[in-house]
Every structure is written in structure tokens, then in C-alpha cells.
Amino acid sequence: MSRELIEAFNEYISVNKGLSSNSINAYINDIEQFFNSLKKPLLKRDSSDVIFFLSKFENKRTLNRKLSSINAFYNFAKELEFGVVDINLVSAKVPATLPMYLGHENIMEVVGNINIKNWLDLRDRALILFLYATGVRVSEAVGSNIDDIDGIWLRVRYAKGEKERVVPIAKTALLALQLYLNERGDSNPNIFVNYKKEPLSRISMFKIVKKYLGVSPHVLRHSYATGLILGGADLRVVQELLGHSSLLTTQIYTHIQKPHLKDTIKRYHPLSKENLWVEQFV
């Protein structure tokens, strides 16, 4: 029964909920892992079984993701009346840590130092600038085609949850892309390809960014968002550009904004420039 239930859940989140393939895989992998943790049938388990399973994970983000999958599974079972198991535990509190990001000068210095010997080097430079200029996820970059670029605009088709959005591409990144595509010389519709002129994989993109910058491609997404926030962009605009379904996800970048705002006041507000004694106002 448990196996059939997992298959039904897979179909439910694929068809009814329309989740992305990455999300579906994550949910099913979590449920499979939970199922294999005990010999007890899924519909015979309770909150203590869930707590026992989750106790193996120290990372709170991992724990919360697996708990979210389990809650979603049992909500599905309850909604479709497969069982009456009432499991809905509260997520562990995760500290609002600042996402890692790189400064603009750091990124541009690395890009400027790439030794261009062939079209693959041009591709590496174009990829880094593309990720930094658009803030797209690696999965979105992998799925991007040349036809998705219209002038300065990129149509992001393979977004999280299959939501389409349009983002502008900075002139520097567009120029790097054009130089790379001109030298590549093939008819593959994908923007980024490997040495065989086949679509570049997520792993290959990770390796390229890691090689030059020492970080994952997702750090460039954080760097993109950070640059916008520090430049004064509205949080809702950043939410739209990143493709976040909820503003709560984007709000983590407000932690970056606070010290920047304080520094801005110190540098530019007239009162901050005056040599006044505070005591005279007390």
C-alpha cells in the first residue's frame, strides 16, 4: 500500500500541483527516505516516527525541507481520504543568515583575467557574466535558448514551478555572449554548450564557475540580488526579477540593506556632516 501511495502522491504533485521536475524529485526522494527508515507502513506512522527520522539531520534547512515533504504527503493522504493520520509538525527555526555573495569588483576582476585562447574560454566568460547579469538559476541557464534573447531581454522559460518571467541583460554580458556565439559557429539552439557542441549540463556550469570564482553558480544569483538591493532597487522588483513566488524569500536581502542605509545616512545626510554637540539638545 505504501508504494502505491507514493506513486499516487507523485502523480498528484506532478499533475494537480504542477510542480517543477526538481521539486517533484526532492519530494519523492524525501518520502522514499522516510519510508525506508522504518518497516512500519506509512499510514501507520505518527509524529514520533517523524521526529525519529528527522533526528538524523543536523542541518536545519535540510530538516525543514524533509519535514515539508512529509507534511505535504500526509496532507495529500488526508485530503484524498487514504487515511486519517494527522501529522503536521512545525518546522525548526532557521536563523536568517546572510547569503554569501561576491562584490562587483571581485567578479569583474576575475572575468577580466580569463585568458581567452578559444571559443570555450569565451563561453566561460560569457557564462559568468550571464549568471551575474540576470540572476537566473543554473537550471534556468541550462534551459535557455538563443531565441529566448530579444534585444536586451531574456525570457526565462524553465523557471522554478514552471513560471515564465522576463529579465534584462546588461550590455557587458550581451557583448560577451555575442562574441562567444560568433566564435562557436554551430546551429545548436542552446545558449551554452560543451566542447562537443551539446547542451552544457548543470554540473559543468558548476565546475566552470567554481574554477574561476571558487564558489557555486548560486552565489552569483545572490551577488545579483545584493547588487540590486545596495543600488536601491525596490524589494518587489527584485522579487520579480529573481522569480520568487513569495516576498518572504526575497526579504533575506534586507539584512544587507540595513548597514548600507546606515552608511548612506552617515555619508550624505546634512546633519551627519555637521560638527554639532549632542548635549545642546539634551
Side-chain angles (χ1 to χ4, degrees), residues 8-216:
F9 179 60
N10 192 339
E11 183 177 344
Y12 176 76
I13 59 179
S14 302
V15 179
N16 294 51
K17 295 297 183 181
L19 299 184
S20 68
S21 57
N22 287 339
S23 296
I24 293 168
N25 289 336
Y27 271 100
I28 298 304
N29 286 338
D30 290 340
I31 297 303
E32 287 278 4
Q33 197 174 7
F34 177 55
F35 171 62
N36 293 326
S37 66
L38 291 170
K39 292 184 178 180
K40 190 190 298 185
L42 287 172
L43 293 182
K44 297 292 183 180
R45 300 186 186 189
D46 55 26
S47 296
S48 63
D49 296 320
V50 178
I51 293 171
F52 172 76
F53 169 68
L54 295 176
S55 65
K56 304 171 186 176
F57 306 99
E58 293 184 6
N59 185 290
K60 289 185 178 180
R61 294 187 187 279
T62 301
L63 185 152
N64 282 345
R65 197 201 74 217
K66 293 186 182 299
L67 176 56
S68 176
S69 299
I70 292 170
N71 282 338
F73 173 78
Y74 282 110
N75 286 338
F76 148 79
K78 188 176 181 180
E79 182 179 334
L80 273 67
E81 299 181 350
F82 284 114
V84 291
V85 180
D86 190 14
I87 294 177
N88 199 339
L89 298 175
V90 178
S91 298
K93 187 174 182 180
V94 180
T97 54
L98 194 65
M100 179 184 177
Y101 67 95
L102 298 175
H104 175 72
E105 293 78 10
N106 189 351
I107 296 171
M108 297 311 293
E109 181 182 0
V110 169
V111 169
N113 288 332
I114 294 177
N115 185 17
I116 305 297
K117 301 184 294 297
N118 50 49
W119 70 269
L120 289 171
D121 298 322
L122 288 171
R123 178 207 61 192
D124 293 353
R125 181 174 69 182
L127 174 62
I128 292 172
L129 287 171
F130 177 83
L131 292 171
Y132 178 45
T134 61
V136 297
R137 303 175 179 91
V138 175
S139 57
E140 295 166 349
V142 167
S144 293
N145 290 339
I146 296 171
D147 289 344
D148 292 330
I149 299 176
D150 183 11
I152 67 166
W153 298 97
L154 171 71
R155 183 164 61 100
V156 185
R157 296 180 294 113
Y158 301 104
K160 208 172 186 179
E162 307 302 325
K163 294 176 183 176
E164 185 177 300
R165 68 184 188 279
V166 178
V167 298
I169 312 175
K171 186 177 180 181
T172 303
L174 276 174
L175 178 60
L177 277 172
Q178 195 59 57
L179 289 171
Y180 148 63
L181 292 172
N182 288 344
E183 287 295 317
R184 201 180 88 184
D186 65 82
S187 58
N188 193 309
N190 287 74
I191 295 178
F192 297 104
V193 298
N194 60 24
Y195 72 98
K196 293 181 180 179
K197 305 292 179 72
E198 297 171 346
L200 200 64
S201 67
R202 293 176 62 173
I203 294 174
S204 294
M205 286 191 181
F206 179 91
K207 288 180 178 178
I208 291 169
V209 176
K210 187 77 173 176
K211 171 186 173 182
Y212 292 102
L213 292 168
V215 297
S216 73

Side-chain angles (χ1 to χ4, degrees), residues 207-252:
K207 288 180 178 178
I208 291 169
V209 176
K210 187 77 173 176
K211 171 186 173 182
Y212 292 102
L213 292 168
V215 297
S216 73
H218 208 69
V219 173
L220 286 174
R221 179 170 162 85
H222 290 318
S223 303
Y224 168 81
T226 301
L228 290 173
I229 292 294
L230 293 182
D234 183 85
L235 207 60
R236 291 197 177 274
V237 173
V238 178
Q239 176 194 1
E240 182 69 23
L241 291 170
L242 291 175
H244 286 162
S245 57
S246 170
L247 188 62
L248 292 173
T249 309
T250 318
Q251 282 179 337
I252 191 169

